[in-house]
Amino acid sequence: MVTLPLILALPLIGALLMLLTGRRLPHAVVSVVCCGTVLGAFTAVLALPDQNVTYAAWLPALNAGWGLNLDALSRVMALVITGVGFLIHVYSVGYMKEDAGYYRYFGYLNLFIFAMLLLVLANNYVLMFAGWEGVGLASYLLIGFWFHRPAAAAAGMKAFIVNRVGDAGLLLAILAIQLQVPAAPWIAALLVVGAIGKSAQFPLHVWLPDAMEGPTPVSALIHAATMVTAGVYLIARSHVIFENAALVSAAVAWIGAFSAIFAASVALAQNDIKRALAWSTVSQLGYMFLALGTGAYWVAIFHLVTHAFFKALLFLGAGNVIHAVYGEQDLRKMGGMRKALPKTHALMLVGAASAAGVPGLAGFFSKDAILANAWSAPLLFVVGVAAALLTAFYMARLMYLIFHGTARVERLHMHEPPMVMIAPLAVLALGAVVAGYFSPRLLLAPALGSARETGAPELAIMALSTAVAVAGWWFARGRYLNQWPAFLQRAYFVDEIYDAVFVRGLALGGGRLLNAFDSHVLDAGVNGVGWLTRVISRVSIWWDTWIVDGLVRATAFLVKMSSYPVRFAQSGYVQFYALVMLTGLITFVGYLFAR
Amino acid sequence: MITSTHYLVLGAILALIGTVGVLTRRNVVVILMSIELILNAANLNLVAFARELNQIQGQVFAVFIIAIAVAEASVGLGILIALFRNKETVDAGEIDLLKW
Amino acid sequence: MLDAAFFYAFALLAVTGAVLTVTRRNAVHSAIWLIVSLLGVAGLFLLAQAEFLFAVQIVLYVGGIMVLFLFVIMLVNLDRAMKESQFSKQWPVALAVAALAGFGLTAVFRKAGAVLPPMASPAEQGNTQWLAQVLFRQYLLPFELASVVLLVAMVGAVLMARKKEGARS
């Protein structure tokens, strides 16, 4: 009897097994168990029929129970999580082979799969929030996986803290929903706060690029394909609330559009291979938010799926590249690697083309659908097209920098990684090609409602996005070696601004204000009390020194003096003790008899 | 006529000899042997009372005392070997680690 | 009358053995004399109709414990110890205290005075059977506890006598 909780139980068992006993298990067992649990969950998701079951009551005050819901939306999400998750597990077998924390890595990874499945399968917001925090925890653990590196530990903390800001909003929204407060735009707004935190949208995007300190497969799974899409899922799942909050929906669209173009412009200036991909992820998530904001929820999920394929593919390809050059991530020190890594090059090219929106590939169809839905708001449409141009540009730039031209740093022994690190890419590449032909529109209609007719000139938009993709690629051809202005490389100094405003500004400025209050108002009072205390303490000191201390010292002195004769009884000789015992015994018994 | 008193007096004599051994000998092995003497004296008393009262309990207790004596001797000798390995001596006068 | 002769013979054996045990310079001699003393006590057990204890005394004490003692005496090198004084510095005090104890015991025996009669008649069942019935019924729990004590003692003795890993020689 296969039931819904089995999907959750499998990765949870894997995680517990690894984290509790993994240290003693051989690598082969760890690999088989962890990949097996995820594959098992994948088949279970495929096999089970739609159902919505509440198994037990949990928090009656919040109307929350232990209940799971498998419908079209959560099925699509769960398939992406377990499918891409399985491929990345397999890839990790090769990528993490040499790492001492092998079992720990897979334990965390399975923990993540469990939490993410809980997030998408929960049938109420409270249980979903448990999964939401669970993926945050797994993300924190995996970003800081190499915790001996200060940058990794700091990045993990940064991700956790920035997410807290979003989670605060989400928690309020959940409370409002579960307590059945009448639906209102402010609930939607709070949900958006949570969503942009998890999905790294402006202005809470700052943690995602830093999250690249984690192992590359983790970046592929958590910070590209699955966890960061939790915000998209949240809004799609709550679409009923958003359909009644036009203003908030518009805000979502604008946040998405802005994030898309903002992150895309930053991505084209990055010199670190993984950071470039991270900014690209922010940008693509912006597209999804744009779709959500225009009411095309199924389109957002569509793009989520295609993005999961091509971005995971790109990250794993980047992993192969980094593997080949022994940990180097600087694009400026690569180049000309096409000959050494032909398979990786071919597979990554498919991913990059899909991301750039080359016609016929998955990314083209989903991006096209987003632009078609934005047609009714011309400004959003223009921004979307501009971001698409930048996307094509930075994807082409990335490929040229890695694989074309001549090697800018000479290296020996560059070679393809083992098959276990190629095969998952091939499967993902297949997905990045064909996923576009399986539009989930009809599948998701019962869960998300059918989107309105856009009335957009579909063919014209397709032609336009094709032209944009080709133009972006073509521009990049001659300009990929350009250095970009500092404000792009540093992501418009958002980190620095946050540091100045929130960390130093609010914390230190606020501190200074409180300091002034302290020294002028509080201190005066304190000083007066202090003076009084001092006078009293003088008296007290005298009393303490001569009366209290005197008594204590006299006692101690007495004890010390009287101990001198006694301590010689402690000779340490066992026979002496026996003699004393016997003497005591005779005395005692003699006394009893003589009495 | 041999009465229980004879046994008790003999037990007292053996116990006193054992006590003197425990208190005066330097060799820890001999001290342990003297303890065996004391335990035997106690057994003698128990057996005498068991005979006098026509009860078997005294002998049962003697069995227990022998068991305890075995345990005591094995642990004591174990300690002795550990001691000899560490301090190269079996002289109770040279063992004063319990000193203040 | 024969009873009295046997009693005094065994008593002499036990006391002589005991005295020589605590006075012999060589520990091996002490052990041999202790065996003699224990055999004397065993004979007294037999006289007191404790046949089972007689057997236990011979098999366990003389056969078991004394062999253990002899092993240990062989293990620890005593050549040096034999040349030194055999008695501790506190021996005069110890003797005085022991004499005091003896004096006290004598006083007690004198005061008790009354001489107890011998055991009336031999029991209707064998000594060992009787002992076993009481031991395994009334005293079953203490018996099991004694086995636990012995086990702990065994483990403890092995643990202490074992050579430490990495200890010198």
Side-chain angles (χ1 to χ4, degrees):
Chain A
M1 172 78 177
V2 180
T3 56
L4 214 40
L6 181 77
I7 302 174
L8 292 175
L10 279 171
L12 181 62
I13 290 168
L16 291 177
L17 201 65
M18 287 313 118
L19 295 178
L20 296 179
T21 68
R23 190 188 294 272
R24 288 178 213 88
L25 296 177
H27 278 195
V29 175
V30 173
S31 322
V32 169
V33 167
C34 287
C35 297
T37 54
V38 180
L39 188 62
F42 180 75
T43 42
V45 174
L46 269 182
L48 287 169
D50 279 8
Q51 52 191 304
N52 185 352
V53 194
T54 298
Y55 298 94
W58 179 26
L59 296 170
L62 286 174
N63 303 312
W66 299 102
L68 299 177
N69 175 24
L70 187 64
D71 61 1
L73 176 58
S74 52
R75 191 191 298 277
V76 169
M77 288 298 293
L79 285 178
V80 170
I81 294 159
T82 51
V84 177
F86 170 68
L87 294 173
I88 288 169
H89 270 74
V90 172
Y91 179 85
S92 300
V93 170
Y95 192 83
M96 299 300 286
K97 195 172 63 190
E98 309 290 334
D99 200 282
Y102 193 77
Y103 73 96
R104 190 164 59 90
Y105 172 82
F106 275 97
Y108 291 161
L109 220 51
N110 262 20
L111 179 69
F112 169 76
I113 297 282
F114 161 74
M116 192 69 201
L117 286 172
L118 182 66
L119 197 166
V120 298
L121 290 175
N123 75 351
N124 62 71
Y125 281 94
V126 179
L127 196 56
M128 188 212 75
F129 190 68
W132 183 276
E133 292 300 323
V135 293
L137 170 68
S139 160
Y140 164 78
L141 291 170
L142 283 165
I143 294 171
F145 180 74
W146 288 311
F147 51 79
H148 46 83
R149 295 209 309 229
M157 261 189 289
K158 185 174 180 182
F160 213 67
I161 291 168
V162 173
N163 268 305
R164 281 287 76 63
V165 178
D167 293 350
L170 177 62
L171 194 57
L172 287 175
I174 287 173
L175 285 175
I177 292 167
Q178 294 298 124
L179 294 173
Q180 288 161 351
V181 172
W186 62 266
I187 297 179
L190 287 172
L191 281 174
V192 172
V193 173
I196 63 174
K198 201 54 115 191
S199 290
Q201 293 299 289
F202 185 85
L204 296 180
H205 62 279
V206 288
W207 64 271
L208 189 58
D210 284 8
M212 296 300 127
E213 290 291 340
T216 305
V218 168
S219 308
L221 177 61
I222 300 184
H223 306 119
T226 53
M227 187 189 83
V228 287
T229 62
V232 178
Y233 167 79
L234 175 70
I235 294 180
R237 177 58 82 192
S238 318
H239 65 96
V240 180
I241 299 173
F242 284 88
E243 276 160 5
N244 294 317
L247 203 62
V248 178
S249 283
V252 169
W254 274 106
I255 289 171
F258 182 75
S259 296
I261 191 151
F262 166 85
S265 68
V266 175
L268 59 88
Q270 293 302 307
N271 288 323
D272 182 307
I273 179 168
K274 287 181 70 183
R275 280 181 167 262
L277 288 172
W279 282 108
S280 157
T281 304
V282 175
S283 172
Q284 298 301 316
L285 289 164
Y287 269 112
M288 295 175 213
F289 271 63
L290 175 55
L292 293 169
T294 52
Y297 301 105
W298 73 269
V299 177
I301 301 298
F302 185 27
H303 194 57
L304 188 160
V305 175
T306 58
H307 172 252
F309 280 117
F310 66 69
K311 188 53 63 66
L313 171 59
L314 284 168
F315 262 115
L316 294 187
N320 282 356
V321 170
I322 295 168
H323 185 82
V325 295
Y326 304 107
E328 181 60 69
Q329 298 191 8
D330 196 330
L331 289 166
R332 288 168 298 188
K333 296 180 183 165
M334 295 177 183
M337 291 169 74
R338 188 170 45 171
K339 287 206 183 63
L341 303 174
K343 292 178 204 155
T344 304
H345 171 244
L347 293 166
M348 267 188 92
L349 191 62
V350 172
S354 190
V358 170
L361 302 182
F364 172 77
F365 292 103
S366 56
K367 199 172 291 180
D368 192 61
I370 292 172
L371 291 177
N373 272 285
W375 178 253
S376 49
L379 203 52
L380 285 176
F381 180 79
V382 170
V383 171
V385 171
L389 181 67
L390 289 176
T391 305
F393 189 104
Y394 69 66
M395 275 301 158
R397 170 179 174 269
L398 191 70
M399 295 303 292
Y400 282 128
L401 275 174
I402 299 172
F403 292 106
H404 292 251
T406 51
R408 288 177 290 280
V409 173
E410 281 303 324
R411 280 195 181 78
L412 298 171
H413 310 306
M414 277 201 297
H415 56 86
E416 287 278 19
M419 264 316 284
V420 72
M421 290 166 71
I422 296 284
L425 271 72
V427 180
L428 287 170
L430 186 68
V433 173
V434 303
Y437 299 100
F438 300 98
S439 161
R441 177 175 195 167
L442 294 176
L443 178 70
L444 289 173
L448 296 176
S450 47
R452 359 175 245 288
E453 276 306 310
T454 53
E458 302 272 354
L459 279 175
I461 294 175
M462 279 195 186
L464 179 64
S465 48
T466 306
V468 159
V470 173
W473 201 278
W474 188 76
F475 275 132
R477 218 182 136 71
R479 291 172 181 77
Y480 66 89
L481 280 171
N482 284 8
Q483 277 304 304
W484 296 87
F487 70 91
L488 283 182
Q489 285 188 20
R490 305 305 311 269
Y492 301 95
F493 302 110
V494 171
D495 265 329
E496 283 77 2
I497 292 167
Y498 282 1
D499 191 51
V501 174
F502 292 110
V503 182
R504 252 174 295 162
L506 269 189
L508 290 188
R512 230 169 263 140
L513 197 70
L514 290 174
N515 184 29
F517 181 77
D518 257 13
S519 50
H520 291 112
V521 182
L522 289 181
D523 280 10
V526 172
N527 284 346
V529 177
W531 178 82
L532 202 66
T533 313
R534 222 158 56 205
V535 172
I536 297 170
S537 73
R538 281 276 155 76
V539 180
S540 173
I541 285 170
W542 181 87
W543 176 263
D544 264 12
T545 313
W546 296 107
I547 311 298
V548 179
D549 279 10
L551 277 176
V552 173
R553 270 192 224 137
T555 315
F557 181 77
L558 211 65
V559 171
K560 200 174 165 189
M561 283 297 107
S562 54
S563 76
Y564 273 106
V566 182
R567 62 191 271 204
F568 290 105
Q570 297 285 341
S571 66
Y573 298 111
V574 66
Q575 284 175 305
F576 178 74
Y577 296 155
L579 180 62
V580 173
M581 276 166 65
L582 184 66
T583 315
L585 183 71
I586 292 170
T587 314
F588 185 64
V589 176
Y591 168 76
L592 282 184
F593 269 93
R595 200 169 45 141
Chain B
M1 199 61 183
I2 302 302
T3 64
S4 294
T5 314
H6 288 82
Y7 282 89
L8 298 188
V9 170
L10 180 62
I13 292 169
L14 286 179
L16 277 177
I17 295 171
T19 309
V20 170
V22 169
L23 292 183
T24 59
R25 288 299 298 248
R26 279 172 178 263
N27 192 328
V28 177
V29 184
V30 183
I31 292 176
L32 287 172
M33 290 189 211
S34 304
I35 293 174
E36 300 298 328
L37 273 179
I38 298 174
L39 291 170
N40 256 280
N43 274 354
L44 209 51
N45 283 10
L46 284 169
V47 168
F49 280 125
R51 198 193 87 164
E52 181 192 322
L53 301 174
N54 200 14
Q55 280 184 342
I56 200 73
Q57 269 82 352
Q59 296 187 17
V60 173
F61 272 67
V63 170
F64 284 129
I65 286 183
I66 291 174
I68 299 302
V70 173
E72 176 262 336
S74 59
V75 173
L77 292 172
I79 293 174
L80 180 71
I81 287 174
L83 187 72
F84 182 73
R85 187 177 297 135
N86 285 325
K87 300 199 71 167
E88 300 279 322
T89 183
V90 289
D91 188 343
E94 287 181 30
I95 304 156
D96 58 351
L97 289 173
L98 278 174
K99 206 169 180 173
W100 41 272
Chain C
M1 201 53 216
L2 200 62
D3 248 19
F6 272 116
F7 176 84
Y8 284 117
F10 285 135
L12 187 68
L13 213 56
V15 172
T16 315
V19 169
L20 290 172
T21 299
V22 299
T23 50
R24 287 299 87 188
R25 173 172 288 268
N26 188 329
V28 179
H29 294 178
S30 285
I32 304 292
W33 283 114
L34 181 60
I35 291 173
V36 172
S37 177
L38 293 178
L39 286 174
V41 174
L44 292 170
F45 284 167
L46 195 57
L47 278 183
Q49 296 167 7
E51 293 92 354
F52 180 70
L53 279 178
F54 163 75
V56 168
Q57 179 88 354
I58 296 209
V59 173
L60 210 108
Y61 256 113
V62 180
I65 301 181
M66 289 319 298
V67 172
L68 182 65
F69 268 100
L70 286 171
F71 265 127
V72 172
I73 293 167
M74 304 301 171
L75 266 178
V76 298
N77 175 21
L78 293 169
D79 288 349
R80 189 168 55 86
M82 270 176 61
K83 294 184 184 96
E84 293 167 356
S85 166
Q86 290 301 304
F87 295 96
S88 68
K89 281 172 281 184
Q90 65 175 4
W91 72 266
V93 188
L95 272 188
V97 172
L100 191 66
F103 175 76
L105 283 170
T106 315
V108 170
F109 283 123
R110 282 188 182 284
K111 199 171 177 181
V115 172
L116 299 160
M119 186 178 274
S121 60
E124 55 276 9
Q125 51 190 342
N127 168 261
T128 305
Q129 192 186 0
W130 192 12
L131 187 85
Q133 274 173 2
V134 175
L135 188 60
F136 293 127
R137 286 186 183 154
Q138 196 178 348
Y139 291 96
L140 185 61
L141 183 64
F143 181 77
E144 294 296 339
L145 284 177
S147 72
V148 174
V149 169
L150 285 171
L151 175 69
V152 172
M154 190 165 72
V155 173
V158 170
L159 192 71
M160 274 179 294
R162 193 186 52 153
K163 251 192 190 112
K164 296 277 188 302
E165 305 262 337
R168 65 193 160 80
S169 70

